[in-house]
Amino acid sequence: MTDAQPVVYFRPQENWKLLDGDGTPLSTITINPSRERRGLFGRPVDDLAAPLTRGRRHAEKYTQSLAAILLPFFWEFQNYYHSTEGGGVAACLPSSRSTFQCPSRYRANRIGFTPWVTVLWWLQSQGFLVKVAGGCKGKEHFQGLTAAYKQTAQLQEWFRDHYEALGPDHLDTRYEPIHLKDREKVLIDYVDNEHTEGLRKQIDSINEAIRNHSFEIPIGKGYARVHSSELELTRNFREDFQSGGRLSCPLQRLSKKDRGLLRINGKGVVELDYKSHQARMLYHLNGKTPPLDCYEHPSIPRPLMKEATIRVMNCKSELQTLGALRKLLRDEPETDDLPTGPELLEAVWESHPLIRQTMEDPLWEKLHYLESSIAVNIMEKLTAKGKPCLGIHDSFVVEENDRDLLRALMVDEYRKVMGGHYPVVSEA
């Protein structure tokens, strides 16, 4: 890959139930075939696809399937090639028909079930991929029901031989930036109206403005420009278009540390966020004065208290809350002073009686909608001024010299949405 070619970014998740050959946990990258927007392209990919596509009526579906499957493995190889952390990654590649059953407006490519499973089987038969966990419950069951695959030395050799001629690109021009899900988080169709068309136009205008700027991430000893698909925003609603509405884009998966290393248009960045954002919004919605730091507690570390408070606010019953806190504590390092789930819940309620009083309400639906409305307004005003921005829910990354402009907009837009109340804005 040359310096001029863009890169994509994956953030693997450690999967403690999935082990490599030496017994160490594997990290996983999950690919959703029908909604994947990116793939690996170049003449070598066309040549590799030739036996699969020759004479087929819908050859493009097979090429896109191959491109989408190869990309996460190329990303892993690229990291290893540049002497960063590499290895220990498996791609979760579904082979169930149900994976392809989503409303047509959300499909981002031409991949179908038969081309996908055909290409997946063919890559295994050619010695490029090996299955490391099955996709069913039982002895081989890990986290989730999707089969996991690793690349072989043969595929690594193929990447090495053709490296300079390979690069990511869009699978298709299809793109739906407004998503609606039901309570089970399943995508559902909807009838467009003036409101949804306005929402779509707003996100499209922000995306178009951001494409005119260069975002770079560190890779190896240098920097590489990220592909434009990494910055394309989607707004995600739940049940209706006044609930939820959070913004997301692939580059949000960067860790806080890595976000600080970003370069925008070749310049260093700064990240500002709203301190205790959702908890503070809850107080302001109810006409009450919040603490300066809503996540401070005399005996519980702030990071744990923050995560616990957010989880409690997103639950509707004590039983659901205790389950969420158990999952949170399971991932915490074991220490003698680690609280139990009930103790942690009591600490949240003691610090914020208002959360307990309002638990019956769908808090997260209201708060996420207000939060996302503030975020969209900020990004829209920044991009209108020619100022690129990476939004991460309640924080924003901009060029260093745009710090003061961003801070002023964060205060102004919060006050407009939250009835004149003031936020606390800090450097992340």
Side-chain angles (χ1 to χ4, degrees):
M1 175 174 287
T2 65
D3 291 339
Q5 289 177 306
V7 299
V8 298
Y9 176 80
F10 289 99
R11 187 178 182 181
Q13 296 182 326
E14 186 173 293
N15 198 316
W16 60 275
K17 289 185 178 180
L18 181 59
L19 302 180
D20 206 345
D22 60 2
T24 58
L26 281 169
S27 296
T28 53
I29 295 170
T30 301
I31 302 297
N32 186 317
S34 62
R35 294 171 56 198
E36 183 58 46
R37 302 205 67 234
R38 309 161 303 175
L40 185 68
F41 289 95
R43 178 58 65 83
V45 176
D46 294 337
D47 293 341
L48 189 64
L52 287 162
T53 58
R54 189 175 297 117
R56 291 190 182 273
R57 182 180 176 184
H58 303 291
E60 185 181 17
K61 297 180 180 181
Y62 291 82
T63 302
Q64 289 193 2
S65 298
L66 178 61
I69 292 173
L70 288 177
L71 186 58
F73 297 110
F74 182 70
W75 171 85
E76 180 193 7
F77 173 81
Q78 183 181 21
N79 278 3
Y80 176 80
Y81 183 86
H82 285 284
S83 300
T84 61
E85 288 187 24
V89 176
C92 294
L93 305 172
S95 55
S96 168
R97 285 188 182 276
S98 61
T99 307
F100 297 83
Q101 295 172 357
C102 72
S104 59
R105 72 161 62 242
Y106 300 113
R107 294 191 63 88
N109 53 57
R110 302 181 186 280
I111 296 172
F113 172 74
T114 298
W116 176 266
V117 295
T118 300
V119 171
L120 187 54
W121 173 85
W122 183 80
L123 286 169
Q124 293 175 78
S125 71
Q126 298 300 303
F128 287 117
L129 298 181
V130 59
K131 183 186 289 188
V132 293
C136 60
K137 292 185 176 180
K139 185 177 180 180
E140 291 186 322
H141 175 59
F142 61 112
Q143 187 172 322
L145 301 178
T146 301
Y149 301 81
K150 284 190 67 178
Q151 62 178 297
T152 64
Q154 184 174 331
L155 181 55
Q156 292 173 353
E157 184 66 27
W158 185 83
F159 286 145
R160 191 173 294 110
D161 290 343
H162 304 290
Y163 189 65
E164 297 295 331
L166 298 171
D169 206 347
H170 288 89
L171 291 171
D172 212 323
T173 57
R174 307 180 189 192
Y175 176 49
E176 173 54 76
I178 305 300
H179 288 191
L180 183 63
K181 295 182 179 181
D182 62 18
R183 285 197 174 273
E184 303 303 319
K185 299 182 181 181
V186 176
L187 286 167
I188 55 178
D189 207 353
Y190 56 88
V191 177
D192 270 314
N193 55 35
E194 187 176 343
H195 179 60
T196 59
E197 290 172 355
L199 293 172
R200 185 177 296 106
K201 183 178 180 180
Q202 188 178 41
I203 301 303
D204 281 342
S205 67
I206 296 174
N207 285 334
E208 182 62 33
I210 290 177
R211 289 190 198 102
N212 295 324
H213 300 274
S214 170
F215 285 70
E216 297 174 309
I217 57 175
I219 180 167
K221 297 180 180 180
Y223 274 80
R225 178 172 55 90
V226 299
H227 191 262
S228 61
S229 62
E230 300 293 282
L231 299 161
E232 289 170 339
L233 292 168
T234 299
R235 196 169 182 193
N236 304 282
F237 293 89
R238 189 71 64 85
E239 292 198 282
D240 58 52
F241 292 102
Q242 285 77 41
S243 301
R246 270 190 156 185
L247 293 170
S248 65
C249 75
L251 203 61
Q252 284 182 354
R253 295 176 298 202
L254 280 172
S255 67
K256 183 177 179 180
K257 177 183 176 181
D258 289 339
R259 292 200 299 268
L261 299 174
L262 270 172
R263 292 196 313 205
I264 301 179
N265 297 326
K267 301 174 183 176
V269 300
V270 63
E271 180 176 355
L272 301 183
D273 69 0
Y274 288 111
K275 195 175 184 69
S276 311
H277 192 34
Q278 287 194 18
R280 191 177 308 282
M281 291 170 68
L282 178 62
Y283 277 86
H284 286 158
L285 279 175
N286 287 273
K288 297 183 180 296
T289 302
L292 180 62
D293 186 349
C294 298
Y295 304 134
E296 185 178 5
H297 192 275
S299 61
I300 296 175
R302 188 182 188 279
L304 178 58
M305 189 65 179
K306 175 181 178 180
E307 292 301 321
T309 303
I310 292 173
R311 280 164 173 75
V312 173
M313 291 174 64
N314 287 331
C315 294
K316 295 183 179 180
S317 69
E318 184 172 344
L319 182 62
Q320 183 185 14
T321 299
L322 289 172
L325 294 180
R326 278 196 297 270
K327 291 180 181 179
L328 171 63
L329 292 169
R330 185 185 66 186
D331 297 329
E332 290 290 313
E334 291 190 16
T335 60
D336 293 337
D337 57 351
L338 188 69
T340 64
E343 290 171 341
L344 192 53
L345 177 58
E346 188 60 37
V348 173
W349 279 347
E350 181 182 352
S351 299
H352 306 290
L354 181 60
I355 295 179
R356 189 172 195 170
Q357 296 166 14
T358 57
M359 178 169 279
E360 296 297 324
D361 295 332
L363 289 179
W364 72 264
E365 296 176 355
K366 298 177 183 177
L367 296 176
H368 285 190
Y369 179 74
L370 294 173
E371 176 192 71
S372 66
S373 298
I374 294 169
V376 170
N377 292 345
I378 291 169
M379 295 191 69
E380 187 174 41
K381 285 182 170 56
L382 282 170
T383 53
K385 294 176 180 293
K387 307 293 186 180
C389 173
L390 172 64
I392 307 96
H393 305 314
D394 64 352
S395 71
F396 306 88
V397 180
V398 296
E399 295 177 21
E400 283 181 316
N401 56 3
D402 293 329
R403 177 191 275 104
D404 292 343
L405 172 61
L406 173 60
R407 185 183 297 275
L409 283 172
M410 290 176 70
V411 172
D412 289 347
E413 295 306 322
Y414 185 95
R415 295 193 67 209
K416 288 177 185 177
V417 173
M418 299 303 296
H421 291 287
Y422 280 88
V424 175
V425 177
S426 61
E427 192 160 328

